[in-house]
Amino acid sequence: NTNEIHIQRFEYILERDHGKYFLPDVFEKVYFSCRMGMRKPDAEIFDFVLKDNGLDLHETIFIDDTERHVKGGREFGLESYLLDLNKTDVIRLTKGVLR
């Protein structure tokens, strides 16, 4: 969940710290809730992203740093993980889950 002001800040930080101008330079596909008119943890956003990418619910994991979003992902049926930004290494979190 984000807004246009945050998107501008993301772009600035990516350029400043990593030489990348926009999140699509880093990820294959990016979804901004404010542009989609949907928000986590509502089921419709999970359903949209899965369908838009042809993903199988049972072969997809969801990682978020907000407990209620993770809970929403689990209620939707996604294997979901809470990311503690101060402690968690995403690679370690998904080790054994990703093949």
Side-chain angles (χ1 to χ4, degrees), residues 55-71:
L55 299 173
D56 182 322
L57 173 73
H58 304 292
E59 295 179 354
T60 304
I61 63 170
F62 172 63
I63 302 169
D64 198 282
D65 64 340
T66 305
E67 182 67 43
R68 71 184 189 101
H69 298 159
V70 171
K71 182 180 178 208

Side-chain angles (χ1 to χ4, degrees), residues 7-54:
I7 294 169
Q8 290 173 12
R9 184 68 178 163
F10 299 154
E11 292 173 345
Y12 169 78
I13 292 168
L14 278 173
E15 175 68 25
R16 181 194 69 200
D17 296 353
H18 305 287
K20 304 289 184 184
Y21 178 68
F22 194 60
L23 287 172
D25 292 337
V26 180
F27 297 100
E28 290 178 26
K29 201 160 199 178
V30 178
Y31 296 91
F32 294 112
S33 58
C34 61
R35 294 179 182 169
M36 297 171 67
M38 300 178 208
R39 296 182 60 81
K40 296 174 293 184
D42 298 337
E44 75 172 329
I45 197 164
F46 297 121
D47 187 55
F48 179 87
V49 172
L50 288 173
K51 287 180 179 172
D52 193 49
N53 290 281

